[in-house]
Amino acid sequence: MSLDVTRAEPPLHEARQRLEHARVSRLAQLHALSETGHSADDPLLSAQLTAMKRVLKEIEDAFGRIEDGTYGTCAGCAKPVPAERLEILPYARHCVACQRRAV
């Protein structure tokens, strides 16, 4: 049996590990933010909490894409998301070009 090196699909066990690491890191950051003693009315704290929760949702969505077989496929153009992008941002749902258009 030979390995097909032309496949663009990322190794899913590595993707799961990166996503789990990202989730644990964000949960720790979220916990640290909640321990600051600042009021939830603080606009900076509120923005940080919102951003952390958004990223955690994106991470959970990425786990769902692994399960349904769409992980690593751009939600915009249906082309493979480059492995380098997924290494840096394992929950990316778009390639760089589609992400730029989405912003």
Side-chain angles (χ1 to χ4, degrees):
M1 182 168 117
S2 67
L3 180 63
D4 182 4
V5 294
T6 62
R7 290 177 54 156
E9 188 175 295
L12 295 182
H13 70 280
E14 290 178 17
R16 282 188 185 96
Q17 288 176 335
R18 283 190 189 96
L19 287 168
E20 188 58 38
H21 176 47
R23 178 170 43 194
V24 168
S25 296
R26 294 320 182 284
L27 286 171
Q29 291 170 344
L30 193 60
H31 180 73
L33 284 173
S34 68
E35 295 290 315
T36 63
H38 292 276
S39 166
D41 296 333
D42 178 344
L44 179 58
L45 178 62
S46 179
Q48 289 174 321
L49 290 171
T50 299
M52 285 296 151
K53 290 175 183 176
R54 180 185 51 79
V55 170
L56 283 166
K57 169 84 169 85
E58 290 176 16
I59 291 168
E60 293 306 316
D61 290 349
F63 276 115
R65 290 192 300 278
I66 287 175
E67 294 306 313
D68 70 19
T70 61
Y71 182 82
T73 301
C74 178
C77 65
K79 293 180 181 173
V81 176
E84 297 83 10
R85 179 165 170 75
L86 292 172
E87 285 178 24
I88 295 167
L89 197 66
Y91 48 87
R93 72 174 60 239
H94 294 97
C95 66
V96 174
C98 288
Q99 184 65 45
R100 284 185 185 141
R101 285 192 288 270
V103 175

